[in-house]
Structures are given as C-alpha cells and as structure tokens.
C-alpha cells in the first residue's frame, strides 16, 4: 500500500519494539524507574481470535517473578491452571498412563498454564497504567538508521486505509519483537556468533473441551500430558475449567500428507485413538486446517547488544518449547537487565553490555537442553520410564549429590 503521509519525527529516551509479553514488562519496569518509554507494536490493539485456540504458556518461578515486579502475579495466577507433573500416555496400551510429579510424589511444586493472549492482555492493561509509557499500535518497524539513532515505521490505518511513514529518534532501543525480529536483523552483521536451526517438525494446535458434565476428558486434569508414538508426539496443557490446549508435533512430510477431512480423522484414529473421540470431529478438522502449521526453530546469537540496541526474549534467544521455559527465560531477561541497571547507576549502554556477559552462557545452555528434551520426548518418554524413576529416586534420597535436570530447568 502506498505511503501517503510523513508524520512528524519524535524523539524518546527509550523505544521498545514489540508488544507481546516481554516488551510490555520491560517497558513497565523502565517506566517505574522514571524513564520515558515508547512501546511500538505492529498489531492492532486488543485480542484477535478465540482464547481457546491460542497456544498456552507455562509459567514457572523465574517468569512469575517478573509478573510480581509488575504487580499482576495474583491476577495472572488466578486465570492460570496449575499442573504438578507429567502424565505419559503409553502407546498401544489401551489408555494406560504413568505419572511423574515434578517434586517427589507430591503436589508441592506447580507450573502454571495460561493462555498466551490472556497473559498479553493482562500485561498490556497494567502497562497502560504507567504514566511514563506510551503504547503505539499498528507501528511496523521498517528499518533502523544506526548513525542518527532513527527508527522508521509504517503506520497502518491512516486516512482511507492508507499507511503513513513515521520516524522516531531514540537514545536507546530494545528489541522484543520475537523470533523474526526486525531489530536483530538490523544488527546481524555485527554479531560474532549466530546459529539458527529449523527442524523438520511442525506443530498444529487443537482444543480438547471438557465433557458434557464439565469434567476433564482425560485423567489427571492437573498434569502436563504427553502422547508419544515414534516421530509423532502430542502434548496437552491444562486450562481452567478442565479443558486442554493440545499441540501436535509431526514431521513436515507427515503434515503435508494430511490433505482432506477424512485424512485428519484417519490419522487420529490410527495414531491417537484415545483422543479422537473426545474432540468433536468438526472441531478436530477445523483446528487442523485453521492455519498453516508452524516450524520448530532454535536460535542462538552473541552478543545481545550493539551500540544503543539491546535484544531481549525470542529476539535474542529462541528455544524449543519442550522445557516450557521460553517465556520464563524471556521474562527473566527483564529482571536481569534491571539488575544490570542498578549496578551501573542507570546507565543503559553499560547495563546492556553487562547483560550480554551475564546471560549468554545460560541461554545457550537452555537452548541446547530444550533440543535434548525434545529428542528424548520424541524417541519415547515411555521407553525411558525406568531412568526417569531412577533420577527421581536419586534426587529425593541424595538431594545434595544428585539433581534432575528437567525439574531444575522448570524452576
């Protein structure tokens, strides 16, 4: 669409790019510290689509701490569904399951499952209360001129549907614009290390409703569910009200071979018969074809800063979802950057350098472990059950000598 208007230039101390989850949290923290911040988001204001169809986030302590900092942890947890371990559906067993608690054999430690869009809504609503922060929707970043510290945006929704071009001068820029980060692309040539791994696997999202009596359609409604069968795997994250958000992981070639409604029903009947009958057929078909399946990605880079630019969240580190820690590590970024600011008397540039030095090893390790956990899950959690129970036994009776990696990551 033609760019018809040139809007007046603006100048701000800090520009945050990306209004998903991490950007608003970071903008809020900076605003609380008395720093004037403009946050730019490419999408419209408000939620799009049904909450039931959005993939869930798993919140653990490291992510919840950032929500405590914002003062909304109670509201978020009120809307979240806690789960206390993994329920593994054994293949070809007629519905037999095995359960592993995250802490011993008791419901003492929970991860909290919450809808992505709902969390975004709560975070943005809180951000709107911060007088030092302004939010600009429908602002798509086009490019950054590093020499004169200027960002150029395409502003949607102008007169008669036209787009406007807008320039913003910013003393400091924080890229929180996700895996396909435009901010990261602008500094990619300056990075000393960059690795991206796109797997052959894709994922589809489904919704498993409760029964007509309002009960959970699967046993253990307060557990994370895994259905594993060779290269194909499904996981289920609980919602409040006994429903589940289901994610199907499958090789791209498998997904492409499912072309018709009957193909969908046949696939589930052969692969996950204990689930197919619990999701209405029309809904199962609609969910499968609702959108193009997403590829699984992993991305590591170094450093996370360049000049007056800092990357946070998926813009800096993208991990596989099999440790449930992508959003938690991203939220933790905000708290660690604030610590770096505290240690450097509020100097943003020095804090950005310290953030890179403090974070990169942990985040690269998390990326590697997320891939390892995916590999273990795909090759058969059920076949490794003996080793899972042995790890649990050793960590319980020798806590100072042996610790399980998976629960350590979740915390």
């Amino acid at each position: 669409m033609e760019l018809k208007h040139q809007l007046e230039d603006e100048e701000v101390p800090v520009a945050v790019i990306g209004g998903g989850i991490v950007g608003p949290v970071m903008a809020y923290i900076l605003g609380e510290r008395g720093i004037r911040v403009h946050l730019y988001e490419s999408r419209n204001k408000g939620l799009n689509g049904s909450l039931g169809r959005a993939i869930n986030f798993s919140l653990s302590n490291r992510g919840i701490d950032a929500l405590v900092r914002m003062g909304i942890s109670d509201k978020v947890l009120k809307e979240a569904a806690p789960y206390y371990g993994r329920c593994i559906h054994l293949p070809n067993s007629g519905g037999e399951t095995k359960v592993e608690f995250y802490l011993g054999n008791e419901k003492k430690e929970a991860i909290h499952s919450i809808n992505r869009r709902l969390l975004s809504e709560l975070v943005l609503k809180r951000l709107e209360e911060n007088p030092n922060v302004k939010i600009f929707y429908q602002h798509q970043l086009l490019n950054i001129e590093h020499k004169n510290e200027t960002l150029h945006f395409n502003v949607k929704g102008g007169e008669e549907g036209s787009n406007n071009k807008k320039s913003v001068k910013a003393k400091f820029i924080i890229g929180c614009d996700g895996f396909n980060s435009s901010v990261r692309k602008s500094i990619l040539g300056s990075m000393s290390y960059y690795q991206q791994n796109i797997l052959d696997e894709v994922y589809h999202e489904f919704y498993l409703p409760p029964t007509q009596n309002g009960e959970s359609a699967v046993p253990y409604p307060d557990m994370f569910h895994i259905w594993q069968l060779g290269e194909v795997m499904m996981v289920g994250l609980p919602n409040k009200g006994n429903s589940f958000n289901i994610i199907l992981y499958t090789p791209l070639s498998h997904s492409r071979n499912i072309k018709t409604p009957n193909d969908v029903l046949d696939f589930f009947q052969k692969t996950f018969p204990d689930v197919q009958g619990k999701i209405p057929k029309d809904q199962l078909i609609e969910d499968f074809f609702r959108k193009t399946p997403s590829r699984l990605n992993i991305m590591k880079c170094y450093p996370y800063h360049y000049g007056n630019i800092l990357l946070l969240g998926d813009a800096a580190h993208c991990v596989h979802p099999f440790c449930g820690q992508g959003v938690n590590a991203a939220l933790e970024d905000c708290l660690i950057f604030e610590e770096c600011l505290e240690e450097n008397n509020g100097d943003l540039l020095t804090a950005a350098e310290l953030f890179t030095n403090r974070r990169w090893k942990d985040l690269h390790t998390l990326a590697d472990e997320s891939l390892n956990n995916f590999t273990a899950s795909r090759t058969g959690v059920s076949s490794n059950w003996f080793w899972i129970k042995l790890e649990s036994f050793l960590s319980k009776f020798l806590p100072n000598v042996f610790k399980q990696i998976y629960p350590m990551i979740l915390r």
Side-chain angles (χ1 to χ4, degrees):
M1 192 174 291
E2 182 184 359
L3 299 176
K4 292 187 175 181
H5 302 282
Q6 172 71 46
L7 300 185
E8 261 184 44
D9 287 2
E10 297 178 355
E11 186 167 352
V12 296
V14 176
V16 174
I17 313 301
I21 306 294
V22 182
V25 173
M26 192 70 257
Y28 183 89
I29 290 174
L30 294 176
E32 281 284 285
R33 296 178 64 88
I35 299 173
R36 192 160 58 92
V37 181
H38 284 191
L39 182 141
Y40 301 93
E41 166 57 43
S42 63
R43 295 168 296 179
N44 298 332
K45 182 178 181 179
L47 303 178
N48 295 314
S50 166
L51 287 177
R53 298 300 192 273
I55 194 170
N56 282 22
F57 282 140
S58 295
L59 292 173
S60 62
N61 291 341
R62 70 184 74 216
I64 293 171
D65 286 345
L67 303 176
V68 171
R69 177 69 178 84
M70 283 193 84
I72 60 170
S73 58
D74 289 344
K75 289 183 178 180
V76 170
L77 294 181
K78 185 178 179 181
E79 300 296 334
Y83 61 91
Y84 300 88
R86 300 186 286 188
C87 176
I88 299 167
H89 296 251
L90 302 179
N92 305 314
S93 66
E96 184 181 352
T97 61
K98 290 190 176 182
V99 170
E100 177 202 16
F101 289 93
Y102 292 136
L103 188 63
N105 292 316
E106 301 179 40
K107 294 182 179 180
K108 287 186 176 180
E109 188 164 355
I111 308 298
H112 298 267
S113 171
I114 186 168
N115 178 276
R116 171 194 299 258
R117 295 193 187 108
L118 180 56
L119 178 59
S120 178
E121 183 182 59
L122 292 170
V123 169
L124 285 167
K125 186 176 181 179
R126 178 60 168 165
L127 183 63
E128 289 172 351
E129 300 171 2
N130 193 312
N132 289 322
V133 180
K134 289 185 178 181
I135 308 173
F136 298 85
Y137 295 98
Q138 295 186 294
H139 280 60
Q140 181 181 8
L141 180 64
L142 297 174
N143 64 286
I144 301 175
E145 289 185 54
H146 298 285
K147 289 184 179 180
N148 57 9
E149 301 175 339
T150 301
L151 303 99
H152 298 289
F153 293 94
N154 178 23
V155 184
K156 306 173 188 175
E159 298 176 3
E160 300 178 354
S162 65
N163 290 353
N164 299 323
K165 186 176 180 181
K166 179 177 180 179
S167 298
V168 176
K169 288 185 176 293
K171 291 296 182 183
F172 194 74
I173 300 165
I174 304 179
C176 304
D177 48 342
F179 173 74
N180 292 312
S181 170
S182 296
V183 179
R184 186 182 70 243
K185 291 174 184 176
S186 77
I187 63 172
L188 197 58
S190 69
M191 290 182 173
S192 58
Y193 177 80
Y194 179 81
Q195 181 185 38
Q196 179 181 341
N197 181 14
I198 302 178
L199 294 188
D200 184 47
E201 277 73 19
V202 299
Y203 63 90
H204 296 263
E205 301 165 27
F206 301 89
Y207 179 69
L208 176 63
T211 66
Q212 291 183 347
N213 296 328
E215 298 176 350
S216 173
V218 294
Y220 305 104
D222 54 1
M223 302 292 279
F224 174 77
H225 287 252
I226 301 176
W227 293 262
Q228 192 280 326
L229 189 65
E231 294 180 303
V232 180
M233 179 175 69
M234 276 199 327
V235 301
L237 286 157
N239 299 309
K240 289 187 66 177
N242 289 327
S243 67
F244 278 80
N245 281 54
I246 303 292
I247 310 170
L248 167 67
Y249 299 99
T250 180
L252 180 59
S253 58
H254 284 40
S255 179
R256 286 176 172 169
N257 286 333
I258 302 175
K259 300 176 181 179
T260 69
N262 284 335
D263 289 342
V264 176
L265 298 178
D266 289 344
F267 169 79
F268 271 86
Q269 181 59 44
K270 293 175 182 177
T271 313
F272 304 110
D274 58 330
V275 175
Q276 186 209 21
K278 297 169 182 175
I279 301 178
K281 291 182 179 180
D282 290 346
Q283 181 192 307
L284 187 66
I285 294 166
E286 178 185 348
D287 283 353
F288 187 89
F289 293 114
R290 184 167 48 91
K291 66 178 185 179
T292 302
S294 301
R295 297 287 290 270
L296 292 175
N297 294 281
I298 189 168
M299 189 277 295
K300 296 186 288 186
C301 67
Y302 176 90
Y304 302 135
H305 71 285
Y306 173 75
N308 69 330
I309 294 176
L310 174 67
L311 303 175
L312 299 179
D314 279 359
H317 47 87
C318 184
V319 303
H320 294 316
F322 303 101
C323 287
Q325 287 301 294
V327 68
N328 292 292
L331 289 171
E332 190 180 39
D333 285 350
C334 301
L335 297 180
I336 291 179
F337 183 61
E338 184 179 25
E339 290 177 2
C340 295
L341 277 175
E342 286 279 0
E343 295 172 22
N344 289 277
N345 300 315
D347 187 296
L348 291 163
L349 297 179
T350 307
E353 182 178 359
L354 179 59
F355 175 85
T356 287
N357 294 336
R358 185 165 292 178
R359 280 297 266 169
W360 76 268
K361 289 183 180 179
D362 286 345
L363 293 171
H364 285 198
T365 299
L366 178 61
D368 293 338
E369 285 303 319
S370 73
L371 179 58
N372 292 339
N373 195 47
F374 166 61
T375 302
S377 299
R378 184 176 59 176
T379 55
V381 176
S382 57
S383 63
N384 295 324
W385 187 252
F386 170 78
W387 301 109
I388 290 173
K389 298 304 292 181
L390 178 60
E391 284 185 354
S392 179
F393 174 85
L394 291 173
S395 64
K396 181 177 181 180
F397 290 98
L398 299 171
N400 297 322
V401 177
F402 185 89
K403 295 184 183 295
Q404 289 177 277
I405 292 178
Y406 187 66
M408 286 174 64
I409 292 173
L410 289 176
R411 295 188 183 100

